[in-house]
Amino acid sequence: MRPRRPTRPALLVLPIVVAAVVLATFVRYGVDPGATPPSSVALPGELPPHPGDGPWNGVAWQPVADPFPAGDPVPNRVDGLATGAGLIVGWGRVATPGRNQFNDMGAVFVSSDGLRWRSVALDDGVAGPDTSEPRGVGIGPLGLLAFGGVCCTEEERAIWSSADGSAWTRLPLAGELDLRASSFMRVVGTPTGWVAVGGSGAQAAIWHSADGAAWEAVDPVAAGLGRGQVSDVARTDDGTLIAVGTIDDAAGTHDGGVWLSGDGVEWRRVAAAEPSLTGPDETELWRVVPFRDGIFVVGNHGSHEDRVRCENLLGALASLDDAAPATGLTCGWGREHHWLSGDAATWHRLPPLDPLPGQPPAPGIRPIEFRLLVAAGPGVVNLGEDSQPPEGDSGLWVSPDGSAWRPVAAVGGQGPNAGASAFAVIGASLIAVGDGGQAAAWRPVFWTGRVIQP
């Protein structure tokens, strides 16, 4: 097999405007940092208590000096963060000179306070010329699971487990998993094991496991799964599991799917009455964030005509040059939309925050992406690109209800820029990872923030 360079984890939606072609709409999306995992067994580390429900008046950012001890593998990038059990756990890549044909390896990064980190290469069970490619980390009562794959003489799905993040073991996978076609998008811990969501080939899928090694697929008929993908899953405060994704309906259009489960084994699809989820338009749901007063969902919504126009454009471009593989082309249709629910059954689609092409932006500073999004503090917190100049700045916004957003001022420093790749909030502490504006010589820069309240 011809070697290939390991890449960043695949994205749910990453529209790209093809050169010399102006598209009417463009969706911003990227690597997801991970939903807030459930509480689990006590692991080492103490973090600040959850702040009160009062307003966040500001946040004091500071870069972390020398976050890793000498001797740890040097991080090349951090793709996301997850929190739980008193830990902050990231995933990405580290430099491993001479270890394989790429001189780097997938890795996890573990901290109890956001200031002191350990870097651990995921190389157990990885052949000499190969590399690991973690896609995310789940945290639960059994410890931690890192999921992804291995590349490149061997290419298949892989999972590593750890009790506390300090040492990782590749698990021998078994059960109803296709090690080449099955793909996990998110893993969460439950009181009895693990739940994973994603797809197998072109079919949406949900799995559950007691040990992280042997996985059983949820009955697709009983759960209302079909052609498509389940993109995200999270636990609500009462322990209910909620998943979101995309299913093709009988007419061939994309419908937004919402699934609920009390135990991770039996699932049912919610028959949402909201027309934008299952109507004649195109809807894809990417992200679900349960918060204190409801459920916030991020996705893409647009007309069927726009999607057909986009696909026809790709077909025409691919036919112009037989040497360019069609799979390397993509385009944008629809706009990022948000949905809110108080009970996961009744949904309301919010007006998009971004203006249509040619229209002036709404007054005031507002976020233009909801990629680094967590439930915390006053409700929902978003770290994303700022709609106002200077370009490239990031901003922090909070919302008590998922509808009205208020910017939180940075105090005493600019903080992470719009290149931030990972974000987490634990209590009154914020953790972000970015590039520090040094894109030409990228090395992750770790930031901590302290919430300033009245």
Side-chain angles (χ1 to χ4, degrees):
M1 181 178 295
R2 182 170 58 89
R4 66 177 175 83
R5 180 71 176 175
T7 60
R8 291 181 182 267
L11 307 182
L12 300 183
V13 179
L14 181 57
I16 301 173
V17 179
V18 181
V21 178
V22 179
L23 299 176
T25 55
F26 177 62
V27 180
R28 296 175 179 268
Y29 197 64
V31 178
D32 191 274
T36 303
S39 300
S40 56
V41 295
L43 296 178
E46 292 293 334
L47 288 161
H50 195 287
D53 294 330
W56 288 16
N57 286 348
V59 58
W61 288 104
Q62 65 175 357
V64 179
D66 301 321
F68 294 93
D72 273 16
V74 178
N76 285 335
R77 76 172 195 248
V78 179
D79 294 329
L81 294 174
T83 59
L87 292 176
I88 311 155
V89 183
W91 57 93
R93 306 200 67 79
V94 292
T96 54
R99 169 61 174 82
N100 53 26
Q101 56 187 312
F102 312 111
N103 296 313
D104 75 350
M105 184 68 63
V108 291
F109 314 101
V110 183
S111 176
S112 62
D113 58 9
L115 299 173
R116 296 169 298 277
W117 292 80
R118 293 305 308 263
S119 175
V120 185
L122 281 178
D123 59 356
D124 183 68
V126 180
D130 288 347
T131 186
S132 57
E133 296 184 323
R135 191 169 192 169
V137 172
I139 305 175
L142 299 182
L144 297 86
L145 283 187
F147 60 94
V150 294
C151 162
C152 293
T153 58
E154 174 191 22
E155 295 198 32
E156 64 180 17
R157 306 300 181 251
I159 293 177
W160 294 261
S161 69
S162 176
D164 59 7
S166 62
W168 295 79
T169 301
R170 185 176 176 184
L171 299 177
L173 298 182
E176 298 173 322
L177 279 180
D178 185 323
L179 295 186
R180 290 186 176 272
S182 298
S183 179
F184 289 179
M185 298 303 299
R186 183 86 65 204
V187 172
V188 296
T190 74
T192 58
W194 305 94
V195 168
V197 301
S200 188
Q203 301 300 306
I206 301 175
W207 300 265
H208 57 89
S209 172
D211 59 5
W215 294 84
E216 183 177 347
V218 170
D219 184 341
V221 176
L225 300 167
R227 183 178 177 85
Q229 180 172 258
V230 185
S231 306
D232 196 11
V233 62
R235 290 185 71 191
T236 64
D237 287 342
D238 66 1
T240 300
L241 290 156
I242 178 169
V244 300
T246 304
I247 298 293
D248 286 357
D249 63 17
T253 62
H254 294 178
D255 284 348
V258 179
W259 296 265
L260 295 176
S261 175
D263 58 6
V265 176
E266 302 292 333
W267 288 81
R268 65 178 178 87
R269 185 175 176 186
V270 175
E274 164 61 39
S276 65
L277 290 177
T278 58
D281 288 340
E282 304 280 351
T283 298
E284 298 175 341
L285 303 185
W286 304 328
R287 184 77 199 283
V288 58
V289 180
F291 62 102
R292 185 188 62 183
D293 294 329
I295 302 166
F296 184 83
V297 168
V298 181
N300 185 44
H301 177 75
S303 71
H304 180 66
E305 291 73 21
D306 281 346
R307 179 187 159 209
V308 170
R309 189 180 302 112
C310 171
E311 293 174 349
N312 289 340
L313 172 64
L314 293 183
L317 290 174
S319 67
L320 294 178
D321 187 358
D322 293 336
T327 54
L329 298 174
T330 183
C331 66
W333 59 266
R335 303 165 69 189
E336 180 177 299
H337 280 72
H338 305 148
W339 288 259
L340 281 174
S341 177
D343 57 7
T346 303
W347 291 87
H348 172 63
R349 178 166 60 97
L350 301 174
L353 290 176
D354 61 313
L356 287 169
Q359 292 184 349
I365 298 174
R366 58 185 174 79
I368 60 174
E369 62 178 352
F370 286 77
R371 181 170 55 90
L372 303 180
L373 184 76
V374 296
V380 191
V381 181
N382 177 49
L383 178 70
E385 189 175 346
D386 200 321
S387 64
Q388 301 295 316
E391 293 183 2
D393 279 359
S394 68
L396 188 72
W397 290 265
V398 295
S399 175
D401 57 7
S403 177
W405 292 86
R406 178 178 60 83
V408 178
V411 178
Q414 181 180 358
N417 65 15
S421 60
F423 178 56
V425 179
I426 301 184
S429 296
L430 288 70
I431 302 95
V433 185
D435 61 15
Q438 303 296 323
W442 199 92
R443 283 293 183 271
V445 176
F446 287 73
W447 295 80
T448 59
R450 178 174 55 85
V451 173
I452 299 172
Q453 292 181 292

